Amino acid sequence: MTPSPPTSAERREELKACFTDARGCVRCPQLASTRTQVVFGAGNADADLMFVGEAPGAKEDEQGVPFVGAAGKLLSQLLGEVGLSREDVFVANVLKCRPPGNRDPAPVEIENCQEYLWRQIELIEPRVICTLGNFSTKLLRGDPTGISRIHGQPEIRVLGRRAVRLFPIYHPAAALYTRSMLGTLQEDFAKLPALLELPPPDQPEPVEPPVPEPEPEPAPAPEPVAELKPESPPDAPQLGLF
Ligand code: URA
């Protein structure tokens, strides 16, 4: 029998457990020793819309909350312009720890950390995932295509066990460095309300958990020696019992 899907309250509890695991993570020795704290993610644990950025910066590392610095303020502004707020969405990053000096995430760090992101996606069950910039776009698409080629183009992708609408857009920090990028980001954000109105994508058939093999019948216990019925006379030494 297929088990019933977890309730929202159960998923929330699991998400808290995932946070507890992440908080003590030491998979990346450098990040574990330089971070102030793990920045797990924040927002609505039942959100239809999830954002995935790159990695915490200095402010995020200090406060333990993603996107609270300059790029975060722009993210909140862009959301507000399309009638959404940070409370409506869940925001996370590919890396949960700040890379020192805000360097790029290293491939091994992405590999080490991705389990937390996949668990977040599975437990929050968003309908739309907006990847911000190259790192999250490449990771979740499993493909090296760069953001400039695919931003603003939603596609249905199966992530883990669920189909979602994946919507890659530029990282808001890009508009802090290149002002003309702001218009592009605003155009892409303007597509979000309609995307959220679409029905959820068809879900793949749930994979039936493997039916456990029946326990093998325990091998018959060797007959107690005392009950052996030796063919030879009981006092024969050839039974090999010592
Ligand atoms: N940039 C990110 O990618 N994530 C943050 O949390 C902050 C800045």
Side-chain angles (χ1 to χ4, degrees):
M1 205 174 66
T2 317
S4 50
T7 63
S8 154
E10 285 166 341
R11 290 187 286 109
R12 194 189 178 80
E13 285 309 305
E14 273 285 309
L15 194 64
K16 285 195 216 161
C18 181
F19 176 37
T20 306
D21 288 350
R23 239 180 355 191
C25 185
V26 290
R27 290 180 195 174
C28 305
Q30 188 193 29
L31 302 191
S33 68
T34 54
R35 73 185 177 217
T36 305
Q37 58 194 311
V38 167
V39 182
F40 181 67
N44 179 347
D46 222 1
D48 284 336
L49 174 59
M50 179 166 170
F51 286 89
V52 185
E54 183 178 314
K59 283 253 174 338
E60 290 79 19
D61 174 69
E62 203 180 285
Q63 296 183 33
V65 181
F67 282 95
V68 287
K73 292 207 168 58
L74 182 53
L75 174 64
S76 301
Q77 178 198 315
L78 289 162
L79 277 171
E81 287 174 5
V82 297
L84 292 167
S85 75
R86 288 286 289 261
E87 289 74 43
D88 297 323
V89 305
F90 193 89
V91 182
N93 282 305
V94 169
L95 293 194
K96 310 303 187 214
C97 298
R98 180 189 182 209
N102 296 347
R103 63 160 170 75
D104 283 351
V108 65
E109 292 165 349
I110 297 174
E111 175 68 30
N112 288 343
C113 205
Q114 61 172 308
E115 182 191 326
Y116 300 118
L117 179 60
W118 291 110
R119 278 172 76 189
Q120 287 175 314
I121 292 171
E122 182 171 343
L123 294 168
I124 295 165
E125 298 188 351
R127 286 157 62 152
V128 177
I129 297 184
C130 203
T131 50
L132 301 171
N134 268 319
F135 284 94
S136 53
T137 301
K138 290 179 182 181
L139 176 65
L140 294 189
R141 293 185 78 249
D143 175 299
T145 310
I147 189 71
S148 55
R149 277 191 49 201
I150 50 174
H151 74 92
Q153 299 170 41
E155 58 182 335
I156 294 176
R157 286 262 167 166
V158 175
L159 300 184
R161 279 181 279 194
R162 294 185 56 258
V164 300
R165 296 183 196 279
L166 195 75
F167 187 51
I169 61 178
Y170 280 107
H171 194 290
L176 302 176
Y177 305 117
T178 312
R179 218 49 207 170
S180 60
M181 200 59 100
L182 182 60
T184 309
L185 266 166
Q186 285 170 320
E187 274 172 32
D188 289 348
F189 263 79
K191 296 181 186 168
L192 276 172
L195 261 185
L196 288 164
E197 285 299 311
L198 292 175
D202 288 341
Q203 293 302 316
E205 285 295 314
V207 180
E208 293 279 335
V211 180
E213 293 278 325
E215 288 284 317
E217 287 287 318
E223 301 225 7
V225 169
E227 287 178 29
L228 282 176
K229 304 249 174 10
E231 287 167 17
S232 354
D235 58 343
Q238 65 268 42
L239 277 176
L241 299 172
F242 299 95

